């Protein structure tokens, strides 16, 4: 079937059969990352956020397959954003390999690798940038969702945001696939790249019940892929969700590595993924000469493929979980900051109202005294004008001017009398308002202070980066 989108260009959907295995593997990694966040021992500072993230995720788990596969199925930026290709470059002086969390098996395998002494350069790919950009996009989308009124046409939905989470997991996983970081070509020339991924794909399909009709997993009672008889590789990754220590920090005094953001972290992953590529496929005179059949005869495949696969997939789950949680916590920290700022504004606004009211209370007595004096004066003038009018009447004189004088004096008297009554009412209302305002201020201050104290445990430099 050919679909004609706006603009008239034709688009042919990728055949389902050719992609179904890799599609579910990426989805499985995302689901395992969700499970990692739920099952890992999370530090107290992130525990509430982790629980909230898992709860939020489970409402959108049916989108994980389409979301995690969107980068390959629709965006198709494989030649740029799915890779960061390292090559040995003797003329380069770059030997700067990052220190990474000790729990990462890729790092443990590569930290003493002699290949680290060989200068390298990057000949292509922006995978780390893509991961950083998607992470920031997630946080921005949440901020827009929270800031825009309900029904706003520019507001992203939670479905859209969940889709971006699952897309991000795809790119993070690709960085852990060593051949995505290896400058040697094992894809177009001999299909070894595809063969390796296919071995992982088969194990996912053998280990879980898949709802092919609806392109999703069947779920166990906890909401995760329903297992059949798990292969040893899949069983290993599942156990890692429970047994491996979860390191939240990007940096810290207790860890020997330092990152500032997703980009830094993924750059380190790509370096050790590149080193792993030479363990997965040892050096050949010409990579084009290694066929799938030849690769299967190597010691690396026969003796170590399962071991290396465990390292790669378990670390991919770990990194997805870590970056997801960091993005979520950064959003939640922003939301907490907005809440405290709004409560602080309430306190400032009420305090300002009290100050204005007290200022009014202080100034009104003088105004009332002035108006009272003026009232007495105008009342005396009015009485004089009335007496003059009475006198003119008694004398039988023309009273026109006398009547006009009385009318003007009456108008002035009524006006100042009204002003005095208004000032007296303002004073009484202001005095009466102070207790209510002070009660509002006390309540607003308590709410602000208690919320601020509640959120103090979330103050962590790691989460604001």
């Amino acid at each position: 079937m050919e679909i004609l989108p706006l603009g008239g260009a034709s688009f042919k959907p990728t055949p389902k059969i050719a992609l179904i295995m890799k599609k579910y593997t990426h989805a499985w990694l995302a689901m395992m990352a969700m499970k990692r966040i739920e099952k890992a021992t999370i530090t107290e500072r992130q525990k509430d956020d982790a629980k909230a993230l898992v709860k939020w995720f489970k409402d959108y788990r049916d989108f994980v397959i389409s979301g995690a596969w969107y980068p390959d199925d629709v965006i198709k930026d494989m030649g740029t954003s799915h890779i960061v290709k390292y090559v040995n470059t003797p003329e380069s002086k770059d030997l700067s390999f990052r220190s990474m969390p000790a729990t990462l098996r890729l790092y443990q395998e590569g930290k003493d690798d002699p290949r680290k002494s060989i200068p390298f350069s990057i000949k292509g790919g922006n995978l780390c940038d893509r991961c950083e950009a998607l992470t920031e996009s997630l946080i921005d989308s949440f901020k827009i969702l929270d800031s825009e009124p309900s029904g706003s046409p520019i507001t992203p939905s939670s479905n859209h945001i969940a889709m971006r989470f699952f897309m991000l997991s795809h790119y993070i996983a690709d960085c852990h696939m060593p051949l995505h970081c290896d400058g040697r070509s094992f894809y177009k020339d001999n299909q070894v790249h595809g063969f390796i991924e296919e071995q992982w794909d088969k194990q996912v399909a053998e280990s879980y019940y898949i709802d092919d009709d609806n392109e999703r997993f069947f779920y166990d009672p906890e909401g995760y892929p329903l297992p059949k008889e798990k292969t040893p590789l899949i069983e290993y990754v599942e156990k890692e969700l429970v047994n491996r220590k979860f390191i939240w920090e990007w940096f810290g005094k207790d860890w020997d590595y330092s990152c500032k953001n997703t980009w830094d972290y993924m750059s380190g992953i790509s370096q050790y993924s590149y080193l792993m590529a030479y363990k997965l496929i040892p050096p050949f005179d010409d990579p084009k000469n290694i066929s799938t059949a030849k690769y299967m005869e190597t010691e690396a495949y026969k003796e170590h493929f399962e071991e290396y696969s465990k390292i790669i997939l378990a670390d991919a789950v770990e990194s997805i979980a870590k970056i997801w949680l960091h993005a979520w916590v950064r959003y939640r920290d922003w939301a907490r900051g907005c809440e405290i700022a709004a409560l602080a504004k309430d306190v400032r606004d009420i305090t300002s109202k009290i100050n204005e009211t007290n200022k009014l209370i202080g100034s009104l007595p003088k105004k009332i005294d002035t108006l009272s004096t003026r009232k007495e004066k105008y009342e005396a003038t009015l009485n004089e004008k009335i007496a003059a009018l009475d006198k003119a009447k008694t004398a039988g004189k023309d009273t026109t001017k006398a009547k006009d004088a009385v009318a003007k004096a009456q108008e002035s008297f009524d006006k100042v009398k009204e002003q005095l009554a208004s000032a007296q009412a303002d004073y009484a209302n202001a005095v009466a308002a102070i207790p209510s305002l002070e009660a509002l201020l006390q309540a607003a201050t308590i709410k602000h202070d208690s919320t601020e104290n509640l959120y103090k445990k979330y103050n962590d430099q790691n989460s604001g980066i």
Side-chain angles (χ1 to χ4, degrees), residues 29-56:
L29 288 170
M31 292 293 285
M32 291 303 99
M34 193 188 309
K35 192 172 185 178
R36 172 66 168 148
I37 294 170
E38 181 172 13
K39 299 297 182 181
T41 301
I42 305 291
T43 56
E44 193 64 32
R45 183 258 181 267
Q46 293 85 35
K47 189 178 294 183
D48 293 340
D49 287 330
K51 288 179 180 178
L53 177 56
V54 171
K55 184 177 183 298
W56 184 84

Side-chain angles (χ1 to χ4, degrees), residues 215-328:
E215 293 194 335
R216 66 178 185 88
F217 293 104
F218 287 107
Y219 302 121
D220 67 15
E222 291 186 309
Y224 295 106
L226 181 65
K228 293 192 277 190
E229 187 172 344
K230 298 175 189 173
T231 66
L233 170 60
I234 299 302
E235 185 70 28
Y236 173 86
V237 175
E238 286 261 25
K239 286 183 178 179
E240 279 286 286
L241 302 175
V242 178
N243 297 328
R244 180 186 290 193
K245 183 175 182 178
F246 186 80
I247 297 181
W248 151 261
E249 292 87 350
W250 284 133
F251 61 88
K253 63 182 181 179
D254 296 329
W255 315 112
D256 64 350
Y257 79 105
S258 177
C259 297
K260 294 181 180 179
N261 46 37
T262 299
W263 189 92
D264 281 354
Y265 181 83
M266 294 310 299
S267 293
I269 291 293
S270 68
Q271 290 177 328
Y272 292 95
S273 191
Y274 149 69
L275 295 178
M276 174 57 75
Y278 281 85
K279 293 178 181 291
L280 196 63
I281 304 180
F284 284 83
D285 292 336
D286 185 352
K288 295 179 182 180
N289 292 331
I290 178 172
S291 64
T292 298
K294 286 183 178 179
Y295 173 60
M296 292 177 68
E297 293 300 317
T298 64
E299 181 182 352
Y301 180 78
K302 290 181 177 180
E303 302 294 330
H304 301 290
F305 182 76
E306 184 84 0
E307 172 192 355
Y308 296 152
S309 296
K310 290 176 180 178
I311 291 170
I312 293 163
L313 296 179
D315 278 8
V317 170
E318 183 76 0
S319 295
I320 294 168
K322 183 185 182 80
I323 292 171
W324 275 359
L325 186 55
H326 262 280
W328 175 258

Side-chain angles (χ1 to χ4, degrees), residues 121-265:
S121 61
I122 297 174
K123 74 173 185 179
N126 57 25
L127 177 54
C128 303
D129 304 81
R130 189 70 161 114
C131 292
E132 174 70 16
L134 268 172
T135 301
E136 295 301 317
S137 174
L138 281 173
I139 300 164
D140 293 344
S141 295
F142 274 123
K143 290 179 179 180
I144 295 170
L145 179 62
D146 279 8
S147 300
E148 287 294 312
S150 177
S152 169
I154 66 172
T155 302
S157 70
S158 293
N159 291 348
H160 297 148
I161 299 173
M163 188 82 162
R164 288 178 175 85
F165 265 109
F166 299 135
M167 286 172 58
L168 174 58
S169 73
H170 183 117
Y171 292 100
I172 295 171
D174 276 357
C175 197
H176 289 75
M177 200 303 181
L179 302 189
H180 281 258
C181 302
D182 185 356
R184 300 174 296 170
S185 176
F186 295 105
Y187 185 70
K188 291 182 179 180
D189 298 317
N190 46 49
Q191 296 298 311
V192 172
H193 186 143
F195 166 76
I196 290 173
E197 291 183 340
E198 186 178 285
Q199 306 315 301
W200 300 335
D201 297 338
K202 288 179 179 177
Q203 296 210 39
V204 172
E206 291 172 7
S207 298
Y208 300 94
Y209 290 98
I210 296 174
D211 182 359
D212 292 323
D213 292 335
N214 296 301
E215 293 194 335
R216 66 178 185 88
F217 293 104
F218 287 107
Y219 302 121
D220 67 15
E222 291 186 309
Y224 295 106
L226 181 65
K228 293 192 277 190
E229 187 172 344
K230 298 175 189 173
T231 66
L233 170 60
I234 299 302
E235 185 70 28
Y236 173 86
V237 175
E238 286 261 25
K239 286 183 178 179
E240 279 286 286
L241 302 175
V242 178
N243 297 328
R244 180 186 290 193
K245 183 175 182 178
F246 186 80
I247 297 181
W248 151 261
E249 292 87 350
W250 284 133
F251 61 88
K253 63 182 181 179
D254 296 329
W255 315 112
D256 64 350
Y257 79 105
S258 177
C259 297
K260 294 181 180 179
N261 46 37
T262 299
W263 189 92
D264 281 354
Y265 181 83

Side-chain angles (χ1 to χ4, degrees), residues 425-464:
D426 288 345
Y427 181 80
N429 290 336
V431 171
I434 288 295
S436 297
L437 289 171
E438 288 177 341
L440 286 175
L441 177 61
Q442 182 181 19
T445 301
I446 290 172
K447 187 173 182 180
H448 170 269
D449 292 349
S450 63
T451 303
E452 192 170 51
N453 287 332
L454 177 67
Y455 290 162
K456 274 183 180 179
K457 70 175 182 178
Y458 297 106
N459 292 332
D460 180 354
Q461 192 179 6
N462 266 284
S463 68

Side-chain angles (χ1 to χ4, degrees), residues 378 382 404-417:
Y378 284 6
L382 175 60
D404 288 343
V406 170
K408 288 180 181 179
Q410 184 70 52
E411 181 181 357
S412 296
F413 175 72
D414 289 344
K415 185 176 181 180
V416 74
K417 182 180 177 182

Side-chain angles (χ1 to χ4, degrees), residues 334-345:
W334 170 84
R336 284 186 280 261
C338 289
E339 183 180 353
I340 291 173
L343 293 173
K345 184 177 182 301

